[in-house]
Amino acid sequence: MTAENPDTPDAPRRNAITILLWSALATIAAPVVYVAGRFIRPPAGGPATAVAGTEAELGATPAHILKVGSADAIVMRDPKGALYALNLRCTHAGCNVHWNPANGGFACPCHGGRFDRNGQVVKGPPRMPLRRMTVTLDNGVVIVSDKPSAE
Ligand code: FES
């Protein structure tokens, strides 16, 4: 092996190619490092929340649809009058389900999945129920959070 002479006519071209290769490698590696970093240390921040209205306002309507973060949600009352909220994203492939007051359930337009008013699967293909969201009351104001409900 011979030592390279930096004064040879090919040296500038070789340096330029080396810089290009390292730049290409950095361009490819940067997104991988970014995604790995976000996976290892997710961004800080709490759950998204939205105000659904006052409890009195919701009392007049059987179902109230609102946006919580990027998700559509619905606030409903159970037979005992307690409020609960469901994420309207179908658990099969993520389409938004539609509330049908006539039959008291949810229908998914994508593959025909159906859920009862509690979000439980009535007809597949979904196998998981609609995700419950957390409902809190603050001086009569109903607040929905995308934090999963403990119920
Ligand atoms: S996305 Fe709802 S049934 Fe497939």
Side-chain angles (χ1 to χ4, degrees), residues 90-95 97 108-113 115 124-126:
C90 181
T91 53
H92 176 234
C95 297
V97 298
C108 183
C110 291
H111 310 104
F115 301 86

Side-chain angles (χ1 to χ4, degrees), residues 89-92 114-115 119-121 125-131:
R89 183 166 294 164
C90 181
T91 53
H92 176 234
R114 297 205 184 280
F115 301 86
Q120 296 301 313
V121 176
R127 287 192 249 162
M128 301 290 291
L130 296 178
R131 196 167 63 83

Side-chain angles (χ1 to χ4, degrees), residues 11 36 40 48-49 59 67 73 96 102 111 116 121 128:
I40 292 167
T49 59
K67 201 90 164 154
N96 262 10
H111 310 104
D116 69 13
V121 176
M128 301 290 291

